[in-house]
Amino acid sequence: MSEDSPRRVRVVVVDDHAMFRSGVRAELGDAVDVVAEAEDVASAVAAVLRETPDVVLLDVHLPGGGGVEVLTQAAAQGSQSRFLALSVSDAAQDVIGVIRAGARGYVTKTITGAELVQAIERVSDGDAVFSPRLAGFVLDAFATGEAPSVDPELDRLSAREREVMRLIARGYAYKEVAKELFISVKTVETHVSAVLRKLQLSSRHELTKWAADRRLL
């Protein structure tokens, strides 16, 4: 790169799935500089403080406390990096949580590579970026002060069980859930059993209604 070339945005990619991180790197290509990857809260905070990236591409559900914990710990230790959440979840509770913790935007994993590069560059420039459907309820929540409260039933589920629950409630087949989350069909079955047991539900139909009642779909 010549001295006259524009400086590329330096990015840290945080996600607990190595295959997903590799996919993100491939999609970003040489449009940005991926300076580090992290798989959980501790490694993410360490990478952010060590590399001081322009933008942190942050999954919401992570081992060790989730994306909110990464934001909280990094800010407490003086990080000036900007955070863009990238998650399979489009639930209001997840979106509002990371925005309240300081993220500058939130996009879902259905985003294309070109759109993701654009979102990263905009966040680096100081803009706020949201997937279109998410922007509406973020504005509504902050305008009315009615951000989602803690749901004790939802809190019984682990982060992974929540992801599986939402996809199953949306009608995904077990194979589709496994492909989306980079896990085995057997693991999906195990999570579904745990979700139904914890929520005291007996079928996918009941699970779909339960999720719809809480606007989790």
Side-chain angles (χ1 to χ4, degrees):
M1 185 183 301
S2 72
E3 293 182 357
D4 294 333
S5 299
R7 175 179 175 273
R8 291 191 300 187
V9 179
R10 300 175 71 253
V11 177
V12 166
V13 178
V14 181
D15 194 286
D16 56 336
H17 299 111
M19 288 183 64
F20 181 78
R21 297 197 303 273
S22 297
V24 169
R25 271 186 179 269
E27 290 291 334
L28 295 177
D30 60 1
V32 302
D33 281 335
V34 177
V35 296
E37 296 181 10
E39 61 182 2
D40 55 20
V41 170
S43 62
V45 173
V48 170
L49 297 177
R50 182 182 68 249
E51 302 292 343
T52 61
D54 301 301
V55 176
V56 181
L57 208 51
L58 180 67
D59 193 11
V60 174
H61 299 300
L62 292 168
V68 170
E69 190 63 25
V70 176
L71 282 153
T72 302
Q73 292 189 24
Q77 298 182 67
S79 170
Q80 298 297 311
S81 297
R82 295 181 171 125
F83 288 75
L84 173 62
L86 173 62
S87 175
V88 69
S89 170
D90 58 3
Q93 193 168 32
D94 290 333
V95 179
I96 300 301
V98 294
I99 297 305
R100 282 197 183 284
R104 293 290 301 176
Y106 194 118
V107 294
T108 60
K109 290 181 176 177
T110 58
I111 195 171
T112 67
E115 291 169 338
L116 184 58
V117 169
Q118 186 178 47
I120 290 170
E121 291 175 341
R122 289 181 58 194
V123 167
S124 177
D125 288 339
D127 291 345
V129 178
F130 297 93
S131 296
R133 198 180 80 80
L134 306 183
F137 66 69
V138 169
L139 290 173
D140 290 345
F142 282 92
T144 62
E146 294 177 352
S149 58
V150 174
D151 185 327
E153 288 192 299
L154 189 61
D155 280 352
R156 294 174 191 163
L157 307 183
S158 68
R160 175 61 80 201
E161 288 168 349
R162 292 185 191 191
E163 292 178 326
V164 171
M165 175 273 293
R166 290 190 177 102
L167 294 175
I168 290 294
R170 290 172 182 166
Y172 282 53
Y174 283 13
K175 285 184 179 179
E176 293 172 319
V177 176
K179 182 178 180 181
E180 182 76 19
L181 300 180
F182 302 103
I183 57 180
S184 70
V185 173
K186 182 66 176 177
T187 301
V188 174
E189 293 173 351
T190 300
H191 285 314
V192 171
S193 296
V195 168
L196 294 177
R197 183 181 69 256
K198 290 181 179 180
L199 299 180
Q200 298 183 330
L201 303 174
S202 59
S203 68
R204 291 181 61 148
H205 175 73
E206 289 184 359
L207 179 60
T208 298
K209 183 178 184 306
W210 182 91
D213 289 345
R214 287 161 175 76
R215 302 176 65 183
L216 297 175
L217 299 182

